[in-house]
Structure formats: structure tokens, C-alpha cells
Amino acid sequence: MTELKDLRKRIDEIDDSILELFTERMDIAGEVAQVKMKDGVPVNNPAREKEIIVNMCGKAPEKYQEYVNLLFNSIFNISKSHQVLSMDRPSSVSSAIEEAIARTDKTLPKSASVACQGTEGSFSQAAAEKIFRRPEIMYFNSFEGVFNAVEKGLCRYGVLPIDNSSYGSVTAVYDLMRSCSFHIAKTIRLHVCHNLLAKPGTKLEDIKEIISHPQALGQCSDFIKSMPGVKVTPNENTAAAARMISEGDRTDVAAISSEDCMRIYGLEPLKTNVQNNENNYTRFICISKEMEVYPGADKFSLILSLPHIPSALYNILSRFAALGINITKLESRPIPGSDFDFMFYFDFDGSVYSEDILHMLDSLSEECEEFHFLGCFSESC
């Protein structure tokens, strides 16, 4: 034990020296920030970082070179965050959040114009009616139509599905999130039960075709496999599929849709609860054109792109780890027209009043090649 104590004592002494040098380095980094601000030089300087890392790795014993690489990448990330704060200039991110908090009402309005994809009886409608007591719903054929309605001011809010507990993300919505101007004001998780609906008098063995939205078809894949030979046809929306069957003449086609659609369109259930998992939940986002931050907001969502280099994502994740932030979702999507470049979608927990989180967002907005802050909001069931 004496030998271990001696070794730990030496490590403690080295740690004291590291802390002293680290403090000195950070003080100088703060001075560098002032010079950069005066000269109009950006904080991020990848060329210099690469030069330093190559130099340091060259000086280090070969067995430690990878560790040296990680060490200095972490130091650079910390230093850049400190420089951003040292410049003491308004950040578009934290300023926008603070302004949104100041102008947003204490609660969501009870009645509002809301854009939804599909038609009457859709799950988006059900989500909107849980968020708002008296929503004035306008229906659009596509997810893009919902985004456009909000962006152009036709509707104050839009409600869209974003992901499902058993079938993953609604990729069409994720792909639109980067190009559309909007903010997330609220999210809600809706328990989704699917039913196989057909015209009155139809029997299960009569069915030759099943129609529904691709997400619903995926969520009911096990049931569909139990009906070999039946044609599966994607449709724009579960409610639209039910309406199509109601208005058509065929009695050999069924829709995977909701119980509400059964009542609205006069259909009968051939089989209920056909989803793969009883605990089948879809998360919906409520979007607005202007940023709205309501009391109790404890979830953040953002999009960013990173350079296609080793450790780029690790360097970002280390920021979250250092602050003890729980990332609830991390998804990558290819950037259209790029050569294997990706956007990353982050959802994470945290208080909107946390200065540490706001500082991190400020830093990321300065350093990332592309950065979109989507909103800070609360989620309900």
C-alpha cells in the first residue's frame, strides 16, 4: 500500500501542475479572444488546431499519441467555448431565447389555427386536440404543406409526427426541418392504436389490398406478414386511406387507421390493435414561426453539421458529457447533394434558464459549419 500511496502522491503533484498550466492557458486564451474580436478574426481556426495536434503527437511517445490527440481536441473545445464567452458579445442563440421567454405568454393559447397533414380523423388531429382545447384545424396533403402554412402565417401552429417508439423517425419531416423556417413550441407523445377497417359487411378473408401511411404500415408489419398475398399500398395519411375506402366502391380493400376514422367514415373493424407493439407511441411536434418558450421548458432540439474528419462528433458529445447533459436523441441524415456529409439532430434535456447550456449553444453556433436552433419546450403525454 505504501508504494500505491507514493504513486498517488506523485500523480496529485502532477495534477496540481497541470491545473496551474491549464489556468494559465485559459487566461491567455481569454486575451486571444479580445485580440480576435478587435481584428474581426473568427474563434474557430481548424488549420492551427491541426498544426498543434500534429506537433504534439510528434513529440509524444508513440503509445500515447492517440491519447494526446484526444487531450488537445478537448483542450481546444474548452478554449473555444471560453473565447466565445470572453468576447462578451450578443449571441443570436441566447439572445433569441431570452427574448422569446420575455414575450411568450405563460401558457399555450386554448384556441389557435393549427395546420395538420391528412384529413379529419388523422392522428395529427388527435395530437392537436390534446395540445389545444379548441384548435381551428386546416388540413394539408403533405408535411411540406404544414411547414409552408406556418412559415407563411396561414396558421399560427403546425402539428407533425416526428418519430415512433417502434418504427423510428418520420424521415420526411426530418428532411424538411433543415430547410424550413420554424421553431418547436411543444411536443406530445400519443398512444397510437391501429385497426384494420373496411366497408360494412366485408370479411377479413375478402381483403386483397391494405392501404395506409408508410409509418402505420411499418408499425403493423407483423400483422401484414400474417396476410400473405395481400397487396400493400402506401397512402399519404391513415385518415385519407380510410376516407378513400369509404368513398370508393371496392369491398376487397381495407385501411389501417384509427378508431376515430371508423366512426367518421362509417367503416367496420376487421381486426383491432394490429400494431406490432401495444406500447406504440408517436411523438408529435407543435411548431410555430416565431420562437415561443413557455414556463417549464426542459427539452432542447437543434441541428448542426460537422466537418467530415475524425473525432468531429466526439468533440461535440464531450461538451454534453462535461455538463452532465442527457442526450435523448441523436440522429444523422445525409445532406442532399453532398458527398457523404451529414446533418446531426440533437434532442437533450436541460433547463432553459441554465447559463451553462446557453453558453454551450452560443459556442456551438460559432464553431459548427451549420447550426439551427429548433427550440426549447416541454413534452406531455
Side-chain angles (χ1 to χ4, degrees):
M1 288 299 293
T2 302
E3 183 181 359
L4 181 58
K5 287 183 179 179
D6 291 341
L7 291 172
R8 285 175 172 171
K9 182 179 179 183
R10 288 172 58 190
I11 287 179
D12 290 343
E13 291 171 352
I14 294 170
D15 286 346
D16 288 340
S17 298
I18 291 174
L19 178 60
E20 183 178 346
L21 291 172
F22 175 76
T23 302
E24 183 179 354
R25 192 187 195 285
M26 293 294 282
D27 288 341
I28 295 174
E31 295 177 20
V32 169
Q34 299 306 312
V35 175
K36 285 182 176 179
M37 184 169 62
K38 182 180 66 175
D39 296 343
V41 177
V43 168
N44 205 19
N45 190 341
R48 173 163 167 75
E49 291 177 18
K50 184 176 180 180
E51 179 184 343
I52 293 173
I53 288 177
V54 170
N55 183 33
M56 292 295 102
C57 287
K59 293 178 179 179
E62 185 175 353
K63 63 180 179 180
Y64 296 137
Q65 286 180 359
E66 287 300 319
Y67 301 124
V68 169
N69 185 13
L70 290 172
L71 171 64
F72 276 89
N73 270 305
S74 297
I75 290 174
F76 293 150
N77 286 331
I78 295 168
S79 178
K80 286 184 288 189
S81 295
H82 178 54
Q83 287 186 40
V84 170
L85 297 179
S86 298
M87 288 180 172
D88 195 28
R89 63 189 182 193
S91 165
S92 58
V93 181
S94 59
S95 295
I97 292 173
E98 291 168 358
E99 290 171 4
I101 292 172
R103 68 169 178 264
T104 303
D105 294 334
K106 298 301 181 183
T107 59
L108 276 162
K110 295 179 180 179
S111 178
S113 56
V114 182
C116 290
Q117 188 265 345
T119 189
E120 186 180 4
S122 69
F123 288 108
S124 292
Q125 174 191 337
E129 289 174 345
K130 287 180 73 71
I131 296 171
F132 303 96
R133 189 174 299 178
R134 296 183 300 276
E136 301 168 10
I137 297 177
M138 294 183 63
Y139 295 101
F140 296 85
N141 291 333
S142 66
F143 294 135
E144 186 175 9
V146 174
F147 278 105
N148 287 338
V150 173
E151 188 170 355
K152 294 176 181 179
L154 186 61
C155 293
R156 179 174 173 179
Y157 298 102
V159 172
L160 298 135
I162 188 67
D163 52 40
N164 177 264
S165 58
S166 60
Y167 198 63
S169 299
V170 183
T171 55
V173 174
Y174 270 96
D175 289 339
L176 285 164
M177 288 170 74
R178 175 172 172 252
S179 58
C180 299
S181 178
F182 75 100
H183 293 89
I184 300 174
K186 175 78 175 175
T187 60
I188 187 169
R189 290 183 182 272
L190 186 70
H191 186 230
V192 173
C193 292
H194 292 298
N195 305 278
L196 188 68
L197 307 180
K199 280 183 170 294
T202 304
K203 298 179 180 179
L204 184 62
E205 54 266 29
D206 298 333
I207 300 303
K208 296 179 180 179
E209 184 177 5
I210 295 176
I211 301 174
S212 195
H213 188 274
Q215 268 279 333
L217 295 172
Q219 293 166 31
C220 304
S221 59
D222 291 345
F223 170 74
I224 293 172
K225 289 176 184 176
S226 72
M227 298 184 67
V230 172
K231 180 182 178 181
V232 177
T233 303
N235 188 271
E236 66 189 36
N237 185 265
T238 56
R243 185 179 66 180
M244 179 187 302
I245 290 172
S246 174
E247 295 174 351
D249 298 326
R250 292 177 59 186
T251 57
D252 62 348
V253 62
I256 291 178
S257 192
S258 67
E259 188 176 342
D260 286 343
C261 287
M262 178 184 70
R263 292 190 292 267
I264 292 170
Y265 299 110
L267 302 176
E268 289 185 352
L270 302 182
K271 194 169 181 62
T272 60
N273 293 327
V274 296
Q275 66 274 6
N276 297 348
N277 194 328
E278 178 60 31
N279 293 318
N280 187 42
Y281 286 86
T282 296
R283 186 165 67 107
F284 291 81
I285 55 174
C286 175
I287 63 172
S288 59
K289 182 176 182 180
E290 302 297 329
M291 189 188 303
E292 300 180 9
V293 181
Y294 292 91
D298 57 0
K299 296 183 182 298
F300 292 80
S301 188
L302 56 89
I303 303 174
L304 53 84
S305 65
L306 301 173
H308 197 50
I309 58 174
S311 301
L313 181 57
Y314 167 83
N315 292 335
I316 297 298
L317 294 178
S318 64
R319 306 280 191 88
F320 290 87
L323 295 177
I325 295 173
N326 180 38
I327 298 175
T328 56
K329 182 163 187 178
L330 172 57
E331 178 139 346
S332 63
R333 295 289 298 160
I335 299 175
S338 68
D339 185 16
F340 296 105
D341 289 330
F342 290 83
M343 300 293 297
F344 292 89
Y345 298 80
F346 285 80
D347 286 347
F348 61 92
D349 296 333
S351 171
V352 71
Y353 304 108
S354 169
E355 290 188 4
D356 288 338
I357 290 178
L358 295 181
H359 291 163
M360 181 188 69
L361 293 174
D362 289 344
S363 179
L364 291 177
S365 69
E366 292 272 353
E367 299 164 29
C368 293
E369 295 181 345
E370 189 172 338
F371 180 93
H372 302 278
F373 179 72
L374 302 182
C376 183
F377 48 88
S378 63
E379 183 169 286
S380 59
C381 295

